[in-house]
Amino acid sequence: MAEETPREYGQGTFGEAKVSKRKIPFRIRVSSFFDAALGSTRGFALLGIAFLITLALVMTGIQAGIALVNVLNDDASDANNFVNAFWTQLSRILAVGDGGTWGERIMGVLFWIINISISAGLIAYITAQFMALFTRLGRGLSPVFESKHTLILGWSPRVFPILRELAIAKSSERRPTVVIYSDVLRPEMNDAIANNCGDLGKLRVITRHGSMTNPTEVARANAGEAHSIIVLRADEAGDASVVTTVLAMRATIGDVHPPVVAEIEDEHIARTIASATDGLVQSVQSSDIIARVTAQAARQPGLASVILDLLDFSGNEIYVAEVPELAGKTYGDALLAFEKSTVIGIETADGKNILNPVPTQKIAAGSKVVVIAEDDSAIAFTGVSNVKPLVKAKASGAKQKPHHLLVIGWSSMGHAVLANLADYLATGSSIHILARKELVAPEELKGIKFGKITPTLSFVSGRIEEVVSVAEQRNYDEIIVLGYRSQMSPTDADAQTLLTMLQMKHIFDDDSNKAKPARIVAEILDSTLLPLARAASSDDLVVSDVLSALLISQLSQNPRIASVITDLFDADGAAIHLVPVDEFVAPGKSVTFGELVATGRGEKSSVIGYRHAAEATTNEGTGVVLNPDKSHTITARAGDGVVVIRNS
């Protein structure tokens, strides 16, 4: 019977696969050994000791061999004068000594070669270690030891306005520090900050590089000792990167951590994270903020500048302050109890914010007031003032006129803008949407409705004659220009927006058509293009995602005002309004701001500022003065307005 060949089985079935062993050459084995030894300091030290012992043995053998050769032990000075002279000069250059015999001279040269080789090797190794250390430090891989810092996790264009705002907000601190931790290389971050932020004063910006989804690496940012944490949304990665970053951060420092402001677009994700973290993580939706402010800007000239003033740190800000002297008094009393700050609401003892409550509402012990002030140090109780209201020159509450809007361009932003705006529009208002037919499918706009208004639609190819034809059909009050952010890159969308603004300016300047000039509210995605947008249409307001950066900065420093900002931006509840001054006082008459506040109190409104129409002729962002002193005198002029917060 023939001998059976042993059966072999494949790996993973009943046995291991038979693998033939490859013979590795000795040279490669030695090379691999040296690579492994040189890869660590301990290996290098052991290899160096072995090398020195080997050299000592070799040199001992060479010296013994020289001793056996008689000619090498003869006196070398017997050689001719030229050879001796040459050796003398060479020995001085090499510093090996004169050497009485040829053997000593040979040993001197060999020792010189060994010394040079060892020195060169040590210098090369030490240099390599220092270079590796400097490279590591340059990559931003070292841990952060600062405390009470503002930690920014992530990287996006919003980081630049955030840094500028934090530089202002923290200017009174002794050593204000912001730590930015992201997966962007540190040199790129440092260069971008230097090129886009300008002078940040004494604000220290520390950048660190690493994975934001690895808790071990995130721990290097020292999030547990931060004053507040900002999580930015990378535009290309979406909300997923924010969620994983928040989870990595919480895995590092636990469930109790500093306040976190996260930039999240999806409303459902935002609510889920807020609920899962018991409100410690607040979300900011960039597109929602832009949509709300755009809607406010389209309502009335000057409202957007009021919002910007409240959001940035360079002017007035919103604070929540405890004033024990107000306990037992009414909200109406509080309105006139501060000379240099303006009261707009109450925070109850359980943390609920009520904007513009009725004047008769009592302020209970433990409650706080929500105020607008230039700084928290300006919030000083000056006593309840008995300022009398003005005798009103004109009945308030005039019937709101219909508003006609032309929307040029379209994206998901359009739904949010018009949904926010529709609640403010009077009966008889209209909305007409003009979109490029190659960029927006008619089915996308079919059947849309905002409140009680069903928009009319026009799909065009982009020729100026088509735009003129639409603009001539009605006298529009505002024109909203939206970028095609869903259909093209931000750069191309902004270029299209700027082109549309130039088109509208040309149409309004051309007397050959019947288009009536109107205000333009334009959406610019890249805030660095704002100067170009101003040049394209200098009289019109332009908003951008810098608004979300301003809100993120505010909430990172004062998370308690989140509900206040949300309420002010909503159509429901309290909102900012610009009321004609002749509803308060006859034009030409001088009054104090305190008298305007007292008059507004009688109308269940909180007066917060004033708008000078004459100063708003060149740019609607000017002319608005928020929170003047109560004793400040104002001379009313035709077209001026009073900025109030009142319930819708």
Side-chain angles (χ1 to χ4, degrees), residues 296 299 400 420-426 568-571 575 577 648:
Q296 296 278 5
R299 283 176 54 208
Q400 190 178 1
N420 278 281
L421 187 56
D423 292 332
Y424 295 106
L425 299 179
L568 283 177
F569 285 175
D570 278 340
H577 297 266
S648 302

Side-chain angles (χ1 to χ4, degrees), residues 408 412 479:
I408 302 178
S412 57
I479 297 175

Side-chain angles (χ1 to χ4, degrees), residues 456-471:
T456 53
L457 310 173
S458 293
F459 293 93
V460 297
S461 61
R463 293 186 298 112
I464 192 169
E465 294 82 7
E466 297 171 313
V467 180
V468 170
S469 176
V470 172

Side-chain angles (χ1 to χ4, degrees), residues 151-172:
L151 173 61
I152 299 177
L153 297 173
W155 184 263
S156 81
R158 268 84 65 193
V159 75
F160 309 124
I162 288 175
L163 288 177
R164 289 193 291 267
E165 289 301 311
L166 291 178
I168 299 172
K170 293 176 170 289
S171 59
S172 60

Side-chain angles (χ1 to χ4, degrees), residues 395-418:
S396 60
K399 186 177 180 181
Q400 190 178 1
K401 296 179 180 179
H403 215 69
H404 303 292
L405 299 176
L406 173 61
V407 180
I408 302 178
W410 192 254
S411 68
S412 57
M413 177 73 68
H415 290 279
V417 171
L418 297 181

Side-chain angles (χ1 to χ4, degrees), residues 283-328:
S283 63
V284 172
Q285 295 171 264
S286 298
S287 59
D288 182 57
I289 296 301
I290 299 170
R292 293 188 185 196
V293 175
T294 304
Q296 296 278 5
R299 283 176 54 208
Q300 289 177 304
L303 283 188
S305 63
V306 174
I307 295 172
L308 287 174
D309 194 5
L310 293 176
L311 289 182
D312 65 26
F313 286 100
S314 59
N316 291 281
E317 304 161 44
I318 299 174
Y319 297 92
V320 178
E322 185 173 3
V323 184
E325 295 90 341
L326 289 176

Side-chain angles (χ1 to χ4, degrees), residues 96 290 356 374 446 463 566:
V96 296
I290 299 170
N356 190 46
E374 286 191 357
K446 185 177 180 180
R463 293 186 298 112
T566 301

